Every structure is written in structure tokens, then in C-alpha cells.
Amino acid sequence: MANNAKPKKGGLGGGGLKSLFEKNGVEPATRAVAEEKTSDVEVIEQLKLSVLVANQYQPRQEFDADALADLAKSIAQNGVVNPIVVRKKGAKYEIVAGERRLRAAKLAKLATIPAIVRVMDDAAVMEIAVIENLQREDLDVIEEAKAYQLLMTELSLTQAEVAKRIGRDRSAIANTLRLLKLPADVQASLQAGELSMGQARALLGLKDDALISAFAARVIEQGLNVRQVEALVQQANNPVEPTTSVKTADSPLFKAISTQLEEKFGTKVKINSNDAGKGKIEINYVDADELTRILTLLDVTID
């Protein structure tokens, strides 16, 4: 790769692993920010597929079957052009970068695959695995969120530090991480493409988390757009209280009671009642002296 090549948009740039991968002919998507010291010359070995194990920090859980089949056809005809990167782990070799190529090589029924064996610690392996996939944009939004969470948890990074390392806005990192607050079934719908990220984020606005799954099912069933979901959430968060008609009791009984109370207290008394049979009695007074008089009649003493 030429030294004057422009970095990928949103890439990491700089030296370290970038130059390390370039001089070994590893595809650009495997570049990462972890800094590793290495010798000037690295040997590409042919390793048996049987001795390779998956990266424990691999954030991608789903691999497109059609894309793998196409890659397998290409590998069957042309071989694996770019070597994978591995590290020794006991009697096996753990993949650092290139699991997709390994899977395609297995489909192509190869016995070996070219690999660069490198000495790396867990932090560097995890960072390369995560950032390789983030740069490729192969992850769905939930896998992406889990990748950010993994970087923050295992490397003790803040959202701002993760954003800086992968060249993205901190707000984008924060919004993606919020998706992990969704129930598992809603996350699955998001991964399956049944919900968009905008719809999912709108559902997170529900004050009652217990409603999210039911609302998500409704959104999918009715095909609601983001604006409609937001309106639905707003309605759920601010329900309109049912109004119960309130009227002055006008039955002969209530009229008789009002009259007796007015005679007792020497002031206007009004009885209100609603359709449910609930109500209140209002006793009017014009000043503090009259209030004291009414309280005395009610045998109420204020200390």
C-alpha cells in the first residue's frame, strides 16, 4: 500500500498497527489503534484450519451466508489473498483478525490458511477485533452497542475515549449504547430489521419500561413510522384523564340537606356530586370571624 494513501473516512489514522498491517499486506479493515512492537519482518505461515479457534472478543455474532458463499468461491479460485492475524494460545491459535476469511476458507474446503502469528495481550486482541468490525460496518446496531460496551468495560474507557479511538461522535456512541436498555425481544427485532434504530430510540422514551415490548409489537404490526411512534409514546407518557361530569346535586334529598345545612351554619352551602356517586360539600364564609364561627359549630378547635 502506498504511503501517501488517504486514510479511510472515520478511520483511526496515525502509526502503530496501521503501518504494521500495511507492510504485511493485511486488508485496511484490520487496522486498529492498539500499538504493538514487532520485528521488521514477519513471517506468513500456513496454518491448519483445525488449529484455529475463534476470537473470544469477536463482537459479530451473525455472518451473512450469501456473502460468505461468494467469498468462498473467490477463495476456491484465487486462494486467501490477505493473511489472517492470529496469536498463539496453548496448542491452538486464536484469531485476532480475519474470522470471516477463515469461515469462507472452511466453506471452500481448504486445509490451511495464510496467517501472521503475533504476540499480543488480551487488551490489544480485543481492541483490534472490535475496531476491525466497526471499521467494516459489518455489525448490526446491537452488536455495535455491545462492542462499545466491551471496550468501555474491559479497557476502562469512557464514551468520549471510545469515540476518539474509533473516530465517531460521542453522541452517536451514547445513542447506540442506549439500545442495550431495550428488552431482549425488542433487541432481536431491531437486529432482524423489523424495527429501525429511530423507532427503537423512540420506544426508549416510554416512562414505563414494561410497555416497551408490547408497543414494539404494535409498531411492527401497524407499520408505524418514527413520528407516529413518538406520538404514541407521548400519549402513553401523558394520558388524558377521563373526565367525569360534576354537577350540583339537584335531587329533592340533596336540596333538603343543603337547606338544613345553610340554616345550621347561616351561610351558603353547596353539594356537588359526580356520576360515580362521589362528591363534596362546600360551605362558604366571608371572613376569618365567620370561619371561626363555623368551626365552632362543627366542634373543631384549632390549637
Side-chain angles (χ1 to χ4, degrees):
M1 182 179 293
N3 291 332
N4 61 355
K6 294 182 179 179
K8 291 177 61 180
K9 183 178 180 181
L12 302 171
L17 285 178
K18 174 183 175 182
S19 59
L20 198 62
F21 281 123
E22 284 179 342
K23 73 180 180 181
N24 285 296
V26 181
E27 58 187 347
T30 60
R31 301 173 189 170
V33 296
E35 296 291 337
E36 284 293 322
K37 292 182 180 180
T38 184
S39 60
D40 292 333
V41 178
E42 286 188 324
V43 178
I44 298 176
E45 302 182 27
Q46 287 291 333
L47 297 179
K48 292 182 179 180
L49 270 59
S50 59
V51 302
L52 297 170
V53 295
N55 187 333
Q56 59 181 317
Y57 300 114
Q58 169 63 256
R60 183 169 40 161
Q61 302 301 315
E62 299 294 333
F63 291 80
D64 184 88
D66 293 335
L68 276 179
D70 290 340
L71 181 57
K73 290 178 182 178
S74 175
I75 286 176
Q77 292 178 350
N78 307 303
V80 179
V81 177
N82 296 309
I84 65 174
V85 179
V86 301
R87 69 167 175 170
K88 195 79 167 64
K89 194 163 187 180
K92 300 285 186 177
Y93 292 86
E94 182 181 44
I95 300 170
V96 175
E99 183 170 344
R100 182 170 173 270
R101 276 164 284 164
L102 173 62
R103 289 175 179 245
K106 289 180 178 178
L107 287 177
K109 301 188 182 306
L110 298 187
T112 63
I113 191 171
I116 298 171
V117 182
R118 188 165 295 147
V119 177
M120 309 178 81
D121 61 19
D122 286 349
V125 171
M126 177 188 64
E127 195 165 1
I128 290 176
V130 170
I131 295 177
E132 176 195 20
N133 282 283
L134 290 173
Q135 284 184 327
R136 284 175 176 271
E137 297 183 351
D138 282 345
L139 306 179
D140 61 53
V141 290
I142 295 299
E143 288 176 335
E144 184 178 341
K146 290 179 178 179
Y148 295 148
Q149 187 179 60
L150 184 66
L151 287 174
M152 293 172 63
T153 302
E154 297 298 327
L155 299 183
S156 299
L157 300 178
T158 64
Q159 290 183 8
E161 289 169 334
V162 171
K164 183 177 180 180
R165 291 197 181 208
I166 65 174
R168 297 186 183 177
D169 292 335
R170 191 203 64 79
S171 60
I173 303 296
N175 286 331
T176 304
L177 282 167
R178 287 185 65 225
L179 298 175
L180 297 180
K181 296 180 180 179
L182 293 167
D185 60 325
V186 180
Q187 289 186 30
S189 295
L190 185 56
Q191 289 182 286
E194 298 172 338
L195 288 173
S196 69
M197 185 170 178
Q199 291 169 321
R201 287 175 58 188
L203 289 172
L204 282 169
L206 281 166
K207 293 179 180 178
D208 186 353
D209 293 344
L211 296 177
I212 293 179
S213 291
F215 273 52
R218 179 176 174 183
V219 170
I220 295 170
E221 181 181 354
Q222 298 181 2
L224 304 181
N225 60 35
V226 175
R227 296 301 176 205
Q228 291 171 320
V229 178
E230 290 174 344
L232 190 65
V233 169
Q234 179 71 14
Q235 183 181 9
N237 288 341
N238 302 284
V240 178
E241 294 292 339
T243 57
T244 304
S245 60
V246 178
K247 57 187 178 181
T248 301
D250 55 4
S251 70
L253 175 61
F254 283 148
K255 284 184 177 180
I257 294 173
S258 295
T259 299
Q260 291 185 46
L261 290 174
E262 287 175 353
E263 291 176 352
K264 178 177 179 62
F265 296 117
T267 186
K268 181 69 175 177
V269 177
K270 182 169 64 174
I271 300 178
N272 292 330
S273 178
N274 61 26
D275 294 338
K278 296 181 180 180
K280 60 183 178 180
I281 298 175
E282 296 181 3
I283 303 175
N284 292 351
Y285 62 90
V286 296
D287 54 29
D289 290 339
E290 187 168 22
L291 174 59
T292 301
R293 180 180 61 80
I294 292 172
L295 291 175
T296 300
L297 291 172
L298 291 171
D299 196 22
V300 176
T301 301
I302 305 298
D303 296 330

